Amino acid sequence: MPIDLMNLPAGEAERLAYAEGFPGTARLFARIADMQRALGDATAEIETLKDEICALESRLADATGG
């Protein structure tokens, strides 16, 4: 029974594609995994910045009595 690489996490699909002799497909899955990591990092940074903004707004409101 063939394995559908699209149903696997990108890193696993990459490894399996290399193991099965499909280096071009493996490289594409490696790029997808890299982009997913970058997206996760960017999302985490956005959340950190949002938290910092909320904290600054709260401090500003406290300092100005607002």
Side-chain angles (χ1 to χ4, degrees):
M1 172 182 231
I3 296 173
D4 184 359
L5 296 177
M6 298 301 291
N7 290 328
L8 297 174
E12 289 181 32
E14 174 194 1
R15 288 185 290 279
L16 186 57
Y18 272 123
E20 293 295 323
F22 298 102
T25 300
R27 285 190 298 272
L28 290 174
F29 277 108
R31 290 177 64 189
I32 291 169
D34 290 344
M35 287 186 258
Q36 288 174 332
R37 256 187 312 281
L39 177 60
D41 292 346
T43 301
E45 182 66 21
I46 288 169
E47 291 302 316
T48 298
L49 292 172
K50 285 167 63 175
D51 292 343
E52 289 176 8
I53 289 169
C54 287
L56 289 172
E57 287 174 338
S58 179
R59 287 176 44 201
L60 180 60
D62 290 345
T64 60

